[in-house]
Amino acid sequence: MRAIEFTETSCPRTKAKECSCSKVNAITEAQQTTVAQCILEHSDTVKGSILLIQAPGTATLVKGTITGLTPGEHGFHIHEFGDMSDGCKSMGGHYNPDGVDHGNINEGHVGDLGNIIADESGTAKFTIEAKRVDLLGDRSVIGRGFVVHSDRDDLGKGGDAESLKTGNAGDRLACGVITLRSEEVTEAHGGEHSTSGRSMTKSEKGKREKIVKGMKKDKAGFKKRYGKDAEAVMYATATKQAMK
């Protein structure tokens, strides 16, 4: 499978500088595992990288590491736009296609991912199973953006109007656009799936984690072959194997 050339720019859906809509549609139709990434920008101190992985019919896995934070909880959301023309300010509000009040990862805006927790060194490492976040289909978040905030998200329980809008999560510390990863990630695990759009079972999820754990024994080999895409390849491959 080789890349199709896509030349769209300035996306009308997400306001991102480069539009991936046609490519997302092609991947959706082909029922492929999709891998996306986000590199946080617009901060001198807060840095981070986030990986998103979704196989057809499964929840999106969000894995990341963010440094330079103050210790404690920080609101973490997907915002409506991938527009960084005015830094994090131009990324709009939380991604909320259903027009509901702010809440938690299970109820509220689709972009509500709750809080991440930074340790004493200011580092937050997290893995989130985001069941309402899609990389595939009409509600794909590719082209939209992540924002990490200065304060704790009260999950809509703060008792005021701002709580129902933003969770009183405070200033936008850093942000970045969610973009598709290289096609080689898809090729590495064999491309198309034959899962008929079904969800992963609890047993299959456990099997996937065991497969990934085994792969990590050769982490150096994966990194040498795939570089920054090594972890994405591991999870994409393990998902396919677990769902056979």
Side-chain angles (χ1 to χ4, degrees):
M1 183 183 68
R2 288 284 57 178
I4 301 170
E5 293 296 328
F6 295 95
T7 57
E8 297 170 287
T9 57
S10 189
C11 183
R13 180 177 65 92
T14 66
K15 297 186 180 179
K17 187 175 181 181
E18 296 184 5
C19 189
S20 299
C21 292
S22 292
K23 195 162 189 178
V24 169
N25 290 340
I27 294 171
T28 301
E29 290 173 6
Q31 288 290 287
Q32 295 175 354
T33 292
T34 304
V35 182
Q37 69 174 359
C38 176
I39 305 299
L40 296 182
E41 303 178 35
H42 290 286
S43 172
D44 293 332
T45 55
V46 178
K47 307 294 181 183
S49 61
I50 303 151
L51 189 71
L52 304 90
I53 307 164
Q54 185 180 32
T58 70
T60 294
L61 198 66
V62 181
K63 296 174 65 67
T65 300
I66 299 176
T67 62
L69 299 167
T70 56
E73 294 180 289
H74 294 267
F76 184 59
H77 313 117
I78 295 173
H79 282 240
E80 185 177 7
F81 303 127
D83 177 7
M84 295 196 296
S85 59
D86 190 22
C88 301
K89 294 180 181 179
S90 49
M91 300 197 84
H94 301 172
Y95 179 47
N96 183 23
D98 301 317
V100 298
D101 287 338
H102 176 72
N104 57 38
I105 193 169
N106 297 313
E107 297 178 345
H109 307 151
V110 170
D112 292 343
L113 299 181
N115 292 290
I116 56 174
I117 303 175
D119 62 19
E120 289 303 313
S121 72
T123 299
K125 295 184 178 182
F126 52 90
T127 299
I128 302 168
E129 186 177 30
K131 296 180 180 179
R132 298 188 300 142
V133 172
D134 290 314
L135 301 183
L136 303 166
D138 295 338
R139 289 163 67 119
S140 173
V141 298
I142 292 170
R144 303 191 190 280
F146 275 111
V147 176
V148 60
H149 293 261
S150 59
D151 301 328
R152 175 182 176 274
D153 186 332
D154 66 23
L155 309 180
K157 298 180 179 180
D160 57 26
E162 192 63 24
S163 176
L164 297 177
K165 183 180 179 182
T166 69
N168 290 307
D171 294 338
R172 302 179 181 193
L173 296 180
C175 55
V177 178
I178 301 168
T179 60
L180 281 168
R181 288 295 283 263
S182 65
E183 186 191 2
E184 283 71 19
V185 173
T186 302
E187 293 180 341
H189 77 278
E192 298 183 12
H193 284 258
S194 56
T195 61
S196 302
R198 67 177 177 82
S199 299
M200 289 187 84
T201 65
K202 185 176 181 180
S203 174
E204 287 170 338
K205 290 177 183 178
K207 186 177 180 181
R208 177 178 65 184
E209 293 306 312
K210 289 181 180 179
I211 293 170
V212 170
K213 187 176 181 180
M215 288 177 175
K216 285 185 176 180
K217 293 178 180 178
D218 185 33
K219 190 172 183 178
F222 272 88
K223 198 159 188 178
K224 183 177 180 180
R225 184 175 180 186
Y226 299 110
K228 65 182 181 180
D229 289 323
E231 189 169 11
V233 170
M234 288 182 191
Y235 271 88
T237 304
T239 297
K240 183 180 180 185
Q241 292 179 2
M243 296 182 74
K244 282 184 178 179

